[in-house]
Amino acid sequence: MGKKYIDSAKLIDKSKAYEPAEALALVCETSKAKFDETIEIHIRLGVDSRHADQQVRGAVVLPNGTGKNVKVLVFAKGDKVQAALDAGADYAGGAEYADKIVQENWFDFDVVVASPDMMGVIGKLGKVLGPKGLMPSPKAGTVTPDVAKAVTEAKAGKIEYRLDKTNIIHCPIGKASFGAEKLAENFNTLVGAVLKAKPAAAKGQYIKSCVIASTMGPGIKINQAKLG
């Protein structure tokens, strides 16, 4: 553990579950790295991701964005290629990009968007895009006829949330430089989306625990009873 981490950890009561506003103010205070740290939220849910009817997955546009310059790759044909580029896509095209990914191990992008008629090309990339969480899907709004809109949303700070194998959702909610108020707006938007996505099959306590942390800082527990 570095000195800055130890100093930050001293400010946090490990036995306490903080109110969301207090936790967000504290995470900004404990972000001491020389770069603008990303603030992440980790939500453990009382569901079992092995069952299809208990999956929790979706996408939401954070009101203040993520603070990250998102690179978008679009798979499309015809006029939609230019429409995607006009909307701000970094790359747009067809099979040539699929070949580049497979042959060159190329991953200079953060989000992949595809029009439905490109799924034949995209399907072959499942084994390489899937493990990286980059596979486009209708549920996340990244497989859509309106690729331009999807690009605009991705650039504006749309993030995808999904359960991992341990039933935890990990998501960025902004940068330390945002300050507690803007982070709170993003936090509330994401938590609200996760609550709305509660599966009908989920029984008992839905949000089991919630922790926020900066890239280099210690985790801060949030009182999940305050999250609905």
Side-chain angles (χ1 to χ4, degrees):
M1 298 294 178
K3 183 178 181 299
K4 287 179 181 176
Y5 182 97
I6 292 166
D7 289 345
S8 293
K10 287 175 185 172
L11 300 172
I12 298 164
D13 182 350
K14 288 286 183 189
S15 64
K16 180 178 175 181
Y18 289 87
E19 299 294 305
E22 192 180 0
L24 289 162
L26 198 52
V27 81
C28 292
E29 192 183 340
T30 55
S31 300
K32 297 179 182 290
K34 289 180 180 175
F35 61 93
D36 193 5
E37 294 182 59
T38 296
I39 308 302
E40 286 202 345
I41 183 171
H42 309 276
I43 308 171
R44 187 163 63 89
L45 298 182
V47 297
D48 188 343
S49 62
R50 291 174 298 178
H51 299 292
D53 61 354
Q54 293 188 46
Q55 282 293 332
V56 178
R57 182 179 182 180
V60 64
V61 178
L62 298 179
N64 299 301
T66 61
K68 181 181 179 183
N69 179 25
V70 178
K71 287 189 176 181
V72 183
L73 165 62
V74 177
F75 285 94
K77 293 177 184 173
D79 295 345
K80 287 182 180 174
V81 172
Q82 192 56 50
L85 292 169
D86 290 345
D90 298 87
Y91 315 98
E96 70 275 19
Y97 283 110
D99 293 341
K100 191 174 172 68
I101 290 167
V102 173
Q103 294 166 11
E104 299 176 24
N105 198 30
W106 175 72
F107 290 100
D108 187 28
F109 48 86
D110 307 294
V111 176
V112 182
V113 172
S115 57
D117 58 0
M118 294 300 291
M119 289 315 289
V121 173
I122 289 289
K124 297 169 187 171
L125 296 172
K127 285 183 179 174
V128 286
L129 294 182
K132 293 179 180 287
L134 291 168
M135 192 66 179
S137 78
K139 208 161 190 181
T142 45
V143 174
T144 170
D146 193 347
V147 291
K149 182 186 177 191
V151 170
T152 302
E153 289 180 342
K155 291 284 187 179
K158 184 176 187 177
I159 59 163
E160 188 179 349
Y161 57 87
R162 61 194 296 181
L163 285 176
D164 68 7
K165 288 176 183 172
T166 59
N167 305 314
I168 299 174
I169 287 172
H170 310 271
C171 276
I173 55 166
K175 297 284 189 180
S177 61
F178 282 20
E181 199 172 309
K182 282 187 174 180
L183 286 171
E185 289 174 3
N186 283 357
F187 174 90
N188 291 333
T189 298
L190 177 63
V191 170
V194 171
L195 288 169
K196 271 188 192 170
K198 181 180 179 179
K203 299 287 184 278
Q205 188 180 356
Y206 181 49
I207 294 185
K208 291 278 192 181
S209 67
C210 180
V211 173
I212 56 169
S214 60
T215 308
M216 306 294 286
I220 301 169
K221 281 188 287 191
I222 288 179
N223 182 357
Q224 75 271 16
K226 299 290 182 179
L227 303 179

